[in-house]
Amino acid sequence: MAVASRRTFLREVGLTCSAGALMGPKLMSKALAQTNASAIPGVTRVYVDNRRIIAPLERNLFGSFLEHLGRAIYGGIYEPASKLSDSNGFRKDTLEEIRQLGVPIIRYPGGNFVSGYNWLDGVGPKKDRPRVLDKAWDTIETNQFGTNEFLAWCKAAGALPLMGLNLGTGSSERAAALVEYCNLEKGTKWSDLRREHGIADPWKVQNWCLGNEMDGPWQIGHMTAAEYGLKAADAARQMRYVDPSLKLIACGSSGPFMPTYLEWDREVLEQCYDYVDGLSLHRYFGNNVRDTGGETQKYLAMNLSMERQIAETIAVCDLVRGHKRTSKKLWLSFDEWNVWYRTTSGDAVDGHRREAPHLLEEVYNLEDALLIGGLLNTLIRNADRVKIACLAQLVNVIAPLMTNANSVLRQTIFYPYSWALQFAHGASLNLFTESSTYEVTGLGQVPHLDVAGSLDAVNGEISLFVLNRDLAKQREVEVVWEDSAPSRERLMPGRLPAVT
Ligand code: AHR
């Protein structure tokens, strides 16, 4: 390992992770990260000061999502008939891959699916569970995998559950009943039902989503912002009567493409601000005519659009906070984000009343992986307000992992996700980056290099996550260690090849 000087040069292309072990790091308060056009064309400077911290990096920033959709559950993580499955029917290969990856939190069971889901169909003896039509994806749901199977699977995977509630066709009373079923020990109707179902100890699920994308006309039970805000407040109150320790997330806008974007969030929060802890955001990106005109340089800059979405949503949360004259600050749950644009219509989203059909099976390429790296950088830079985020989804459905009858396979987007999980520990660093820029319509001047960093105070390790958006050439990066230079440094092995 090389001993680093105060200024270190890294020559890189694509997406890179580098780490330096620092001597005696000190943590101090946050200031705004800035990016400037470099005076020396072609050279990028990253100023690292281990005293400049944005916020602690919650592990839940790198969560994921499993919906009853396509082959995510059936054939993805649960396949009792497979030779690869254990006695619970859990696919051992997928489970092990996810455990090793270290996914901290997993959202379940939807997604659009949850808004028509009756959780009672998915508990109790499997032979008695009904086959139902899932209207969200026109699929036959066998209910052989339900709440208890998911929570047991999560435990085995080392992940926390982020449970979604049906606020579409479901009532607040039924939502509170699920909390009682999952979290109370015994002596009440729903906790005793869980015990009858063979689960003696409560699961103690902490994080809950109050519905899914309720602003969308495509959503089962779609309603106005004021109606949803009132329902979310009522559900939250009833759920907290059962378990006051819950963390509750209200449904924010489904994305900036919605005509009600931000106005939805404001109206919802006017009704339920006092009863919830966080607000959700969703976003999917694509290199298509509508979003980027098929221009890769624009596509690779789209994480800056996510950055803007986060800033705008925080502004609305804080506006309502001002209206309410409360000291309570909401955090954000970016609980669906990914690249998704190739499998958004026709047979790719219609189950045609089959069981576990192949839906949303997007095949990812290199530029998708690069953008995923940029999106992760954006999440790291916004760790002060974004406390949960979920790469949507995890297996088979717009996913880093795909299964077939014999194995589990990694897609390109698996790699940047795995690097964030592996190296982004401790706290998010407030870096100052000087980079040359290029013009992108709608985004202005975009830096060629996108950099985020973390500092792990426990072992004194700094990690830098670098995305090179320059399609034409490699870039030289000069790292300026403002506080103390690392004793050694290394480039991480998992580099992606150059964009050609
Ligand atoms: O992740 C796929 C779908 O995208 C989810 O079901 C829905 O919430 C979103 O529109």
Side-chain angles (χ1 to χ4, degrees):
M1 299 242 187
V3 174
S5 66
R6 200 160 165 73
R7 297 186 159 209
T8 307
F9 290 89
L10 307 171
R11 195 184 292 278
E12 269 318 304
V13 167
L15 198 58
T16 306
C17 225
S18 79
L22 273 188
M23 309 302 286
K26 289 184 198 143
L27 306 184
M28 286 185 77
S29 66
K30 177 193 169 185
L32 286 178
Q34 301 164 58
T35 303
N36 262 5
S38 170
I40 313 169
V43 175
T44 303
R45 256 188 219 111
V46 181
Y47 296 85
V48 182
D49 186 334
N50 59 351
R51 296 163 300 187
R52 286 164 58 101
I53 297 298
I54 293 173
L57 272 173
E58 308 271 340
R59 295 314 296 155
N60 292 346
L61 196 59
F62 307 118
S64 192
F65 175 30
L66 281 167
E67 178 168 359
H68 280 250
L69 198 185
R71 299 189 305 125
I73 303 294
Y74 303 107
I77 63 166
Y78 179 77
E79 197 172 11
S82 167
K83 60 180 187 295
L84 299 173
S85 295
D86 64 16
S87 56
N88 293 313
F90 299 160
R91 280 275 298 243
K92 285 186 281 188
D93 54 346
T94 331
L95 183 62
E96 187 52 22
E97 188 74 7
I98 293 164
R99 215 181 50 75
Q100 296 259 344
L101 195 54
V103 182
I105 191 164
I106 301 180
R107 186 166 175 253
Y108 170 91
N112 296 340
F113 171 82
V114 79
S115 298
Y117 181 52
N118 178 357
W119 64 265
L120 279 168
D121 288 344
V123 293
K126 289 191 178 182
K127 65 174 178 35
D128 298 336
R129 298 186 193 176
R131 283 166 65 82
V132 299
L133 175 63
D134 156 34
K135 297 184 210 68
W137 302 104
D138 197 22
T139 296
I140 296 298
E141 171 57 54
T142 63
N143 282 305
Q144 292 303 292
F145 189 95
T147 301
N148 290 316
E149 287 78 24
F150 174 68
L151 294 171
W153 179 89
C154 259
K155 211 169 185 181
L160 294 172
L162 170 56
M163 291 295 281
L165 290 161
N166 177 354
L167 291 198
T169 61
S171 65
S172 302
E173 185 185 13
R174 196 47 79 72
L178 180 57
V179 175
E180 188 180 316
Y181 182 90
C182 289
N183 286 10
L184 289 205
E185 200 187 333
K186 60 180 177 187
T188 65
K189 172 176 169 175
W190 298 109
S191 58
D192 286 345
L193 182 65
R194 185 199 66 243
R195 291 166 71 88
E196 258 174 51
H197 292 161
I199 315 289
D201 295 328
W203 293 109
K204 300 270 179 214
V205 178
Q206 217 198 358
N207 295 293
W208 299 79
C209 297
L210 302 170
N212 177 70
E213 294 187 349
M214 298 306 298
D215 58 334
W218 61 86
Q219 198 68 211
I220 294 174
H222 163 60
M223 55 189 96
T224 65
E227 285 166 341
Y228 168 71
L230 282 171
K231 187 163 183 180
D234 181 44
R237 272 191 307 265
Q238 292 200 42
M239 291 163 70
R240 286 196 202 282
Y241 293 148
V242 178
D243 182 348
S245 74
L246 305 179
K247 299 277 177 241
L248 303 179
I249 301 160
C251 275
S253 286
S254 297
F257 72 95
M258 295 297 294
T260 50
Y261 176 56
L262 300 181
E263 195 45 28
W264 166 273
D265 304 76
R266 187 191 64 73
E267 284 186 53
V268 165
L269 291 180
E270 295 289 357
Q271 304 298 336
C272 69
Y273 193 98
D274 294 337
Y275 305 102
V276 301
D277 304 284
L279 183 72
S280 75
L281 300 83
H282 289 181
R283 188 78 180 269
Y284 292 100
F285 297 90
N287 194 5
N288 52 13
V289 177
R290 193 196 58 193
D291 296 338
T292 59
E295 280 177 44
T296 297
Q297 282 234 311
K298 179 163 188 181
Y299 183 53
L300 297 186
M302 290 311 284
N303 65 303
L304 301 183
S305 178
M306 184 204 226
E307 207 124 352
R308 179 172 164 178
Q309 184 185 351
I310 292 170
E312 289 167 343
T313 307
I314 289 171
V316 173
C317 289
D318 292 349
L319 171 78
V320 179
R321 178 180 182 230
H323 289 166
K324 301 265 174 206
R325 291 161 179 81
T326 170
S327 59
K328 174 179 165 183
K329 245 189 190 177
L330 296 190
W331 42 261
L332 302 184
S333 173
F334 216 124
D335 45 43
E336 284 189 38
W337 67 270
N338 202 347
V339 166
W340 176 26
Y341 69 105
R342 302 171 179 96
T343 55
T344 53
S345 60
D347 289 346
V349 295
D350 187 339
H352 296 294
R353 303 195 176 175
R354 289 166 299 167
E355 286 178 30
H358 289 249
L359 298 183
L360 283 67
E361 299 209 355
E362 190 107 353
V363 175
Y364 292 108
N365 63 19
L366 173 60
E367 65 178 21
D368 300 330
L370 294 173
L371 177 59
I372 294 294
L375 295 165
L376 286 159
N377 277 3
T378 288
L379 290 174
I380 292 170
R381 285 194 290 264
N382 286 278
D384 55 336
R385 288 304 281 273
V386 185
K387 297 296 175 191
I388 295 181
C390 303
L391 174 65
Q393 301 192 8
L394 187 54
V395 185
N396 287 332
V397 170
I398 42 173
L401 296 171
M402 302 291 290
T403 60
N404 59 26
N406 305 314
S407 57
V408 59
L409 308 161
R410 296 172 177 177
Q411 294 226 58
T412 57
I413 64 167
F414 171 92
Y415 294 96
Y417 181 47
S418 72
W419 297 337
L421 281 164
Q422 201 179 337
F423 300 115
H425 286 279
S428 169
L429 272 175
N430 184 5
L431 305 173
F432 180 83
T433 303
E434 286 179 323
S435 166
S436 59
T437 60
Y438 62 101
E439 173 74 22
V440 173
T441 323
L443 288 172
Q445 289 297 312
V446 170
H448 278 111
L449 266 77
D450 188 292
V451 191
S454 65
L455 165 66
D456 188 348
V458 175
N459 57 18
E461 195 162 284
I462 283 182
S463 297
L464 298 179
F465 303 88
V466 185
L467 163 65
N468 181 8
R469 299 191 179 101
D470 191 336
L471 303 182
K473 53 180 189 297
Q474 296 193 353
R475 291 271 153 177
E476 207 162 74
V477 179
E478 182 185 340
V479 180
V480 183
W481 304 102
E482 294 276 48
D483 184 40
S484 54
S487 54
R488 59 186 193 283
E489 66 189 41
R490 60 204 154 115
L491 272 183
M492 288 330 196
R495 281 177 53 187
L496 287 168
V499 179
T500 52

